[in-house]
């Protein structure tokens, strides 16, 4: 195995964005370097535990192993841009769970003109594809309702990762859709409510057998500027062929109502005194 070389990007920034970064030895197919986001994506405890492993095991279909390198290195973008971006399906190396990924790969050539190593980025598209599937499963009325609703709406995976967020939900939390997708739902719930939210939504990564809807539950959220917000949450699963695959979460901003109720309670306490 060749000596590892330093990565040419800020791993901390990529980790925060949830983008996997890696360096691969072309001849052996083993990882020379990786960041923590890549380890999390593939189910490893840390980046160090990935070094030296073969990436051939990440292919969902073993038949793709022999074809992948030829397909990438014959891609026309390689000559014109110096890198290739392809969507593919891989699998977690710990559980075998399928992963939809967007992979960007830039090869490094030796003095002999042959590929020596490859530097790459890998983004998880599984949640985005599940959200797209939810739109395709429903009709155009659902798409229009989602995009234009004055109430915040998001589509999440079973463990709370956000695939889509409408403009109302983004304004509610002061975040862009990309920022919400990178952080997940629980990151924006008040710390004192996170455990309850996780239990109620069953954010275990597995879709519950019953998949029951949730109605009218009030939770505290935090705006990007740190301001406390209240949201009333309703949630239901979207299914195709009887099999649920995406959760739709609807959050109505009830902050003003909660503030008014708190003001009334204070007045009543003063009156009682």
């Amino acid at each position: 195995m060749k000596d590892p070389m330093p990565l040419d990007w800020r791993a901390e920034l990529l980790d925060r964005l949830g983008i996997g970064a890696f360096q691969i030895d072309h001849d052996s197919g083993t990882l020379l370097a990786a960041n923590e986001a890549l380890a999390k994506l593939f189910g490893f405890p840390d980046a160090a535990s990935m070094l030296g492993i073969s990436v051939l095991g990440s292919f969902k279909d073993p038949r793709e192993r022999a074809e992948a390198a030829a397909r990438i290195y014959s891609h026309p973008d390689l000559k014109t841009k110096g890198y290739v971006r392809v969507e593919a399906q891989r699998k977690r190396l710990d559980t075998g769970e399928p992963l939809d990924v967007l992979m960007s790969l830039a090869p490094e050539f030796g003095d002999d003109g042959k590929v020596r190593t490859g530097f790459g980025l890998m983004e998880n598209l599984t949640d985005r594809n599940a959200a797209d599937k939810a739109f395709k499963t429903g009709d155009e009325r659902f798409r229009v309702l989602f995009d234009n609703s004055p109430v915040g709406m998001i589509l999440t995976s079973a463990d709370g990762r956000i695939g889509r967020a409408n403009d109302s939900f983004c304004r509610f939390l002061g975040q862009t859709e990309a920022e919400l997708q990178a952080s997940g739902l629980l990151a924006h719930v008040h710390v004192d409510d996170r455990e309850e939210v996780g239990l109620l939504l069953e954010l275990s990564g597995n879709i519950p057998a019953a998949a029951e809807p949730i109605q009218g539950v009030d939770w505290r959220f935090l705006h990007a500027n740190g301001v406390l917000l209240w949201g009333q949450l309703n949630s239901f699963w979207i299914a195709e062929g009887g099999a649920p695959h995406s959760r739709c979460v609807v959050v109505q901003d009830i902050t003003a109502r909660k503030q008014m109720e708190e003001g009334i309670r204070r007045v009543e306490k003063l009156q009682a005194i």
Side-chain angles (χ1 to χ4, degrees):
M1 186 176 72
K2 295 181 176 67
D3 294 332
M5 297 175 64
L7 297 178
D8 292 333
W9 44 69
R10 297 194 177 202
E12 182 180 355
L13 173 61
L14 293 173
D15 282 332
R16 289 187 179 184
L17 295 175
I19 299 175
F22 61 91
Q23 181 191 10
I24 183 175
D25 178 77
H26 175 69
D27 294 334
S28 64
T30 55
L31 286 175
L32 301 177
N35 70 342
E36 297 299 328
L38 188 74
K40 183 178 180 181
L41 177 62
F42 283 97
F44 283 77
D46 51 48
S49 62
M50 298 192 74
L51 302 185
I53 69 167
S54 173
V55 297
L56 295 179
S58 70
F59 288 91
K60 184 176 185 295
D61 186 347
R63 292 173 298 181
E64 290 187 15
R65 297 180 183 180
E67 303 172 1
R71 188 169 65 249
I72 289 174
Y73 291 114
S74 63
H75 199 286
D77 284 351
L78 198 58
K79 293 182 179 180
T80 58
K81 298 180 180 179
Y83 67 91
V84 178
R85 300 189 73 185
V86 294
E87 290 191 21
Q89 189 169 72
R90 297 291 182 261
K91 66 177 181 179
R92 288 175 65 97
L93 299 183
D94 55 347
T95 64
E97 176 187 358
L99 291 169
D100 295 322
V101 298
L102 173 62
M103 184 172 64
S104 303
L105 183 65
E108 178 196 40
F109 296 88
D111 295 335
D112 57 2
K114 295 181 179 180
V115 178
R116 181 171 177 263
T117 62
F119 291 92
L121 300 176
M122 193 169 292
E123 300 176 55
N124 187 359
L125 299 182
T126 304
D127 298 331
R128 189 202 72 179
N129 289 351
D132 291 342
K133 182 180 179 182
F135 277 121
K136 292 175 182 177
T137 301
D139 58 24
E140 184 63 19
R141 288 173 295 179
F142 176 75
R143 183 191 300 272
V144 172
L145 172 64
F146 184 93
D147 289 336
N148 299 283
S149 173
V151 178
M153 298 178 71
I154 57 175
L155 293 174
T156 79
S157 60
D159 59 0
R161 294 194 300 269
I162 296 174
R164 288 290 308 272
N166 70 355
D167 289 342
S168 295
F169 191 80
C170 292
R171 288 195 300 271
F172 175 59
L173 293 179
Q175 301 275 347
T176 66
E177 185 179 45
E179 289 170 335
L180 292 170
Q181 289 169 336
S183 56
L185 176 60
L186 284 184
H188 305 282
V189 175
H190 191 282
V191 62
D192 293 337
D193 290 350
R194 287 179 188 171
E195 182 177 359
E196 181 183 353
V197 172
L199 290 173
L200 188 58
L201 290 179
E202 300 182 75
L203 303 182
S204 62
N206 298 314
I207 297 176
E212 294 294 333
I214 298 170
Q215 296 180 337
V217 180
D218 297 349
W219 280 324
R220 289 171 292 180
F221 293 82
L222 288 176
H223 191 274
N225 60 15
V227 172
L228 176 69
L229 302 169
W230 280 91
Q232 185 174 85
L233 184 144
N234 293 270
S235 173
F236 58 89
W237 285 92
I238 298 175
E240 181 178 16
H245 54 75
S246 302
R247 184 195 298 273
C248 182
V249 180
V250 182
V251 180
Q252 182 176 0
D253 185 358
I254 58 171
T255 305
R257 192 192 80 188
K258 286 290 185 178
Q259 291 173 342
M260 182 177 67
E261 291 174 351
E262 179 61 26
I264 292 173
R265 282 194 293 269
R266 289 177 181 175
V267 171
E268 290 175 344
K269 286 182 180 180
L270 289 175
Q271 290 176 339
I273 293 173

